[in-house]
Amino acid sequence: MEQFIVKHQARILGVISCFDRLLLKGYLSISYPEGMESFLNRQGVLFKDFKHFAVACSDTVKDNAIQTARKAGRPFIYLNSAVRKEEHAREIAHRDGITQGLVCVFSVVEACQSFKLKYGDGKPRLESSSPRALCLYFYYLDREFGFMHVRIQTWFPFTVQVYLNGHEWLARKMTQHGIGYVQVENAFVRIDDCRRAQRFADRLVKKNFPRLLDAFARKVNPFLDDLLQNMRYYWIIDQAEYATDVLFRDRAVLKHLYAHLLQHATVCFSAEDVLTFLGRKLNGNFQGEVTNRLKKRWPGARVKHRMKGNWIKMYDKHGCVLRIETVINHPYEFRVRREGRRQGEWVMGWYPMAKRISNLYRYAEVCLSANRAYLAALSVVDDPAQAYRLLNDLCEPVAKNGRRRRALNPLRKDEVALFAATLRGEHFIHGFRNRDLATHLNARQPKSKDPRERKRNSARITRLIQLLHAHRLIAKIPRSRRYRITLRGATLMSAAVYLYNHDVPNIIAKHAA
């Protein structure tokens, strides 16, 4: 990411990374059929009477919501599922001048996880089902978390969902500590002290979320102090969005640059690149789909790279903020260091990352790493017109260690193929070796089994690497056999590739017409 920031430092105000959308869900021990059956047995309720028992409990949850809204002097509104609840709640808060506390309560009929009676051999049993039932949305302007909501389904097992926004939380932190900022919706277009704000943003993962979320659950579930008083919710991360925002000084600058960023992201990023951003490698064991998708939307466009249920998005916010956002829905694709069982013993190691709330810090690490890698790969993109003036340097021979090296031709097909192979996204993260460059330059040629031919090919790639090194397009990574792409190399090679693949064909087509 530092390459991108250094390259555009004269045009940006700062960078801020924090959680955006967080969906956290709480489950009770009665959330699976066997647990619900044990609970009914303890309550002396026959399985055949489950529905009548659930209806009475559902009415209690709804009545509690009505009383809560009435005590706070706030509306209780039934909505159909087509209404955008968040926008409607914000309108109510603005209309009524609400600055803190309960905004409103919405009741909506939605699909939810519950149980149904199953008849068969022996006595009836309960099994999981997905009926449509009444769900209640409590919208708050919380003192600490800002605009948020708590959703509870009024049918057993009373699953609770809490929605938080990291930008809302950070805004209140900055206000509390006197950091000036300008916020438009869920984005900051100006922050007076980005470094200090980033330190506050990093503290969110250290909060005692189980205690905070339990407090929200008690507001909406009256049975936690009565029927379910011996139970506690188990909290998981259902969805996490982590955003890295680059704040630009001028809308015009970002508008011009963003068009090139979109083109580069949709055309140049391969499946291997997307997997590398997300910390994975493409191999024979990978089972899934990796896609790139460009979507036009008002007032601009957005590109999304999806790997199974996780994705990276790039879009502009309000014309002056470039946002890179990683979304995790299926954390099991990533790993976390924890204690686990191997060969019958408990040992520390890297295991698939679960959804438990205690892994929120690891979510932040994975997402920030992906955002950084994505921005690093975008550092090759610039206004081509500025770089074209420097391409003349490549067309002149250079001397390195007393030895003359030939010139490079930005309009030669082989040279452009070399530039494109060097500029692959994963090379900005890990660097590259001789074999990495050979793999992509010889992708269409069958691999030779002749040792002498393989040695000659390796020597040819070495000479090409030495040529790039002599022109200062790449630099050696100390104490390794890897090379990294320099800022000069990223600028000139990307300009050459853009000139060859975009500008020259357009000029030829224009004159041919």
Side-chain angles (χ1 to χ4, degrees), residues 380 383-384 387-388 391 423 489-500:
V380 304
D383 180 1
Y388 288 168
L391 285 180
L423 291 172
T491 302
L492 295 184
M493 288 191 290
S494 62
V497 172
Y498 190 87
L499 175 67
Y500 184 88

Side-chain angles (χ1 to χ4, degrees), residues 350-361:
W350 289 93
Y351 298 89
M353 183 167 68
K355 288 190 170 186
R356 63 185 62 153
I357 192 67
S358 59
N359 283 337
L360 188 62
Y361 79 96

